Amino acid sequence: MAGQITQPMVLIDPSKAHVHGNDAVQMNITAAMAVANTVKSTFGPSGLDKMLVDVAGDVTITNDGETILRKIAVEHPSAKTIVAVANTQEKEAGDGTTASVIFAGELLKRAGKLIGEGVHPTTIIAGYKLAEAKSHEILDGIATSVTADDRDLLCSIAATAMVGKAVACDTLAPLCVDAIQMIRNGTIDVFNDVMIRHSVGKRIEDTELIHGIVIDKSRVNDAMPKRVKGARIALLTSGIEYRKFGKMPGGKSKDKVKIHSADELQNLYDGEESAIRSDIDVLADIGVNVVFCAQSITESSQSYLVKRGIIGVARVKDADLEAISRATGATIISNIVDVEERDLGAAGLVEEKGAEDEELIYITDCTDPKTVSLVVHGGTEHVVEVIEGALNDALRVVADAVMDGTVVAGGGACEIELALRVRDYAATVGGKEQLAINAFAEALEEIPHALAENSGLDTTNMVTALKSKHIAGAGAAFGIDIYNGEIVDMYAHGVIEPFRVKNQLLKSATDATTMILRVDDVLASERKELTPAPGQAPHDYDRF
Ligand code: ADP
Ligand code: MG
């Protein structure tokens, strides 16, 4: 994966040290809009990809707005605020990042125009806040309900989030729905409850959902059993190695041993060997048949584990040990001699699967049913990473829909309905705020506009046709069928999004916009240290 791109985007005139009043506001708006515009062409299922190249020459090709904004080096504070919009959206809703950034950019663009026409930023902020509040109210009204058992609808939600990002949506969307169904008791924490594993080699269609944990490791020794039913699991932060020679538990110190003769050395080896054997005997006697270690398992320990029929897995990551601990109820122990029967975890089956060098260990039928894993198969690492990104979005939107129980129509449907009704509302408010409220409505219309534009459709005709359909009272569900250039019912068409995504979008974009509009004084410090020395990471200078 490519690192941070270190060439900063220069968005302001560096010769100006102090900018005040409307100039400052306009400058901040320009900077923020520049960032928002970078992601516009990626929006929607037909959005284009961007190629990001970092200083090391690593290339990332992505169509994901949040990834792009995470990777480009943005330096201007108000431009950073736009990046923060994407981050907040990602954190709170897990999807809709590009839309929220586009919307924020459009709000700012229109604010800039109004300021140019003599409207005070404070009035614009007030108008935008009123429009946002009204939009939430309208959105509540047009949202429809969904239950966790409504499988078809949830599959459509998952597919809507993935389309354009991942192929094989038809196979992957139901897997995401099943994954969320398995963990839906209580709060759903996609990040911790669903583990995503990579497996390069097979086809995307082979991607599997496992009710349990999958770790990217293999048995230390091929003579160990490949499959253990009724697993009794021990977890160690150390390894199974000679204690006197190896690292002490915790990795801090080593015992010093002085050896004077070959016999002495042999005795020492024998002593260590028998100590390890008795440790392994204790494990076997309390019923352990699988042991996961964070450190290594020496060859002689391996053969003794083989003898006692125990599967040994070495160099397991801490995060994986913790996941196994959660799923199986095992306690993580630092030293093998301290393992007791009550520390062991249980799983119905532990099994190694996969071709040579691509083995994975599957721990299934665990005591905690809230652990699921998706093993993503794909031809190359890049393909697998893209699929992982798409799956993350899809899992999040299904979780959002299940947790809130509400959804809205996609394809620009709900944005255009909001725009029309916000405009009606503007007329009732009057005054200069009305101008800002109308600007808010126009900015909302830019979302279907961008969808149409990125799909190569005649934007003016599409947006006009969409509006007419909504004005004619066809219902809030009509949006753009981007593949056929028609206005259709998005529920019937299967383009559906969680309420949370749209609700958060309104909030994150309006918050960021009002924050930027509030700044009317920009002070620059010296610019000279800005260029980093060769080989030195650029500093995060908050100059303004
Ligand atoms: P974001 O980062 O905002 O999620 P995406 O590139 O994922 O951006 O595009 C999401 C937008 O694409 C949403 O507005 C959604 O309604 C729309 N969309 C997804 N699938 C379709 C489709 N088949 N037809 C029309 N619009 C679609
Ligand atoms: Mg999306």
Side-chain angles (χ1 to χ4, degrees):
M1 180 64 80
Q4 171 105 40
I5 281 126
T6 42
Q7 180 63 43
M9 241 187 192
V10 178
L11 301 162
I12 46 161
D13 179 356
S15 62
K16 294 225 172 82
H18 182 191
V19 192
H20 182 70
N22 283 353
D23 283 350
V25 183
Q26 295 288 14
M27 184 183 86
N28 284 336
I29 289 176
T30 311
M33 273 171 49
V35 173
N37 284 336
T38 56
V39 296
K40 208 166 180 178
S41 65
T42 68
F43 184 56
S46 324
L48 300 175
D49 292 351
K50 289 223 181 278
M51 184 187 274
L52 306 172
V53 187
D54 70 6
V55 276
D58 284 338
V59 175
T60 309
I61 297 176
T62 178
N63 156 298
D64 185 57
E66 203 259 341
T67 310
I68 297 168
L69 293 178
R70 193 160 21 89
K71 287 196 167 277
I72 57 176
V74 173
E75 217 180 74
H76 193 285
S78 71
K80 278 185 182 163
T81 310
I82 294 295
V83 178
V85 171
N87 295 340
T88 313
Q89 183 73 23
E90 177 66 30
K91 191 163 149 268
E92 300 294 329
D95 193 24
T97 48
T98 318
S100 61
V101 166
I102 293 177
F103 183 48
E106 296 298 332
L107 284 177
L108 284 166
K109 182 168 150 194
R110 283 165 180 77
K113 194 159 160 270
L114 289 174
I115 291 168
E117 288 164 5
V119 183
H120 196 274
T122 318
T123 313
I124 302 173
I125 293 171
Y128 278 2
K129 287 263 172 222
L130 286 171
E132 188 210 339
K134 192 72 192 173
S135 302
H136 287 301
E137 190 187 310
I138 302 166
L139 199 66
D140 273 337
I142 60 176
T144 54
S145 53
V146 60
T147 69
D149 299 315
D150 204 340
R151 195 179 151 77
D152 288 347
L153 201 140
L154 293 176
C155 283
S156 297
I157 294 173
T160 302
M162 273 193 282
V163 68
K165 296 200 163 65
V167 286
C169 285
D170 294 348
T171 331
L172 300 179
L175 288 184
C176 294
V177 176
D178 291 343
I180 299 297
Q181 303 275 27
M182 287 176 183
I183 57 169
R184 77 182 202 217
N185 281 338
T187 53
I188 306 173
D189 177 358
V190 168
F191 187 72
N192 281 316
D193 295 343
V194 185
M195 300 178 78
I196 298 188
R197 289 289 179 240
H198 293 188
S199 173
V200 176
K202 290 202 235 164
R203 298 172 322 142
I204 297 168
E205 287 79 2
D206 297 319
T207 296
E208 341 157 53
L209 172 65
I210 308 298
H211 201 163
I213 288 190
V214 178
I215 63 162
D216 193 0
K217 287 282 166 212
S218 56
R219 295 162 298 153
V220 279
N221 193 306
D222 284 347
M224 288 171 175
K226 233 180 171 173
R227 199 180 139 92
V228 168
K229 275 193 183 163
R232 303 271 286 152
I233 299 168
L235 302 178
L236 298 175
T237 52
S238 54
I240 307 181
E241 45 200 356
Y242 294 150
R243 259 170 283 153
K244 291 231 157 77
F245 301 147
K247 266 187 204 154
M248 294 300 285
K252 279 184 204 123
S253 63
K254 279 183 183 172
D255 279 357
K256 278 201 183 119
V257 186
K258 276 196 181 145
I259 310 276
H260 304 288
S261 70
D263 279 354
E264 249 181 87
L265 183 63
Q266 192 55 48
N267 285 343
L268 190 72
Y269 271 130
D270 292 347
E272 284 292 301
E273 198 100 341
S274 70
I276 287 179
R277 282 175 183 222
S278 70
D279 291 345
I280 293 174
D281 281 335
V282 171
L283 287 192
D285 292 346
I286 58 173
V288 173
N289 48 18
V290 186
V291 56
F292 292 98
C293 307
Q295 292 174 27
S296 61
I297 301 179
T298 55
E299 250 170 61
S300 61
S301 321
Q302 291 177 16
S303 25
Y304 202 66
L305 285 169
V306 169
K307 210 171 216 165
R308 299 292 327 233
I310 299 175
I311 297 183
V313 183
R315 310 219 168 275
V316 178
K317 287 192 218 112
D318 288 350
D320 287 344
L321 282 182
E322 277 157 27
I324 303 171
S325 159
R326 273 199 304 274
T328 66
T331 313
I332 305 175
I333 304 291
S334 52
N335 195 338
I336 186 166
V337 295
D338 298 327
V339 179
E340 292 177 27
E341 199 169 347
R342 64 190 161 101
D343 301 321
L344 305 184
L349 182 68
V350 172
E351 189 178 16
E352 183 190 284
K353 286 202 264 186
E356 201 171 311
D357 292 337
E358 279 157 24
E359 298 99 342
L360 296 168
I361 294 198
Y362 291 63
I363 306 157
T364 50
D365 204 359
C366 302
T367 44
D368 173 22
K370 260 195 99 164
T371 330
V372 296
S373 307
L374 277 161
V375 184
V376 184
H377 295 281
T380 64
E381 189 56 37
H382 174 68
V383 167
V384 173
E385 269 170 23
V386 170
I387 300 285
E388 176 178 2
L391 284 174
N392 268 324
D393 284 3
L395 289 164
R396 288 290 303 276
V397 289
V398 176
D400 286 348
V402 169
M403 280 190 287
D404 299 344
T406 40
V407 294
V408 293
C414 83
E415 288 86 354
I416 215 77
E417 183 70 17
L418 286 173
L420 290 169
R421 295 213 213 163
V422 166
R423 216 175 248 126
D424 288 346
Y425 164 68
T428 69
V429 174
K432 284 202 171 164
E433 273 95 352
Q434 178 178 351
L435 299 173
I437 300 172
N438 273 327
F440 190 96
E442 278 174 28
L444 279 167
E445 281 173 18
E446 287 300 324
I447 292 178
H449 194 276
L451 266 182
E453 183 165 357
N454 290 347
S455 310
L457 298 170
D458 178 335
T459 50
T460 321
N461 277 349
M462 280 326 296
V463 177
T464 313
L466 185 57
K467 274 195 202 164
S468 323
K469 197 86 184 177
H470 281 246
I471 293 170
F478 279 78
I480 305 174
D481 171 357
I482 51 158
Y483 300 114
N484 299 306
E486 285 166 13
I487 307 300
V488 299
D489 183 325
M490 287 288 141
Y491 284 119
H493 195 53
V495 178
I496 305 164
E497 294 184 73
F499 166 84
R500 190 182 292 205
V501 167
K502 301 295 177 189
N503 205 49
Q504 183 62 44
L505 177 157
L506 294 166
K507 184 171 167 17
S508 3
T510 314
D511 285 353
T513 306
T514 52
M515 204 162 113
I516 291 170
L517 292 178
R518 261 193 207 109
V519 176
D520 78 337
D521 216 351
V522 174
L523 299 161
S525 64
E526 289 280 316
R527 197 183 157 73
K528 60 176 186 275
E529 327 93 310
L530 245 186
T531 317
Q536 187 194 358
H539 216 281
D540 197 9
Y541 291 95
D542 277 329
R543 287 168 300 125
F544 293 96

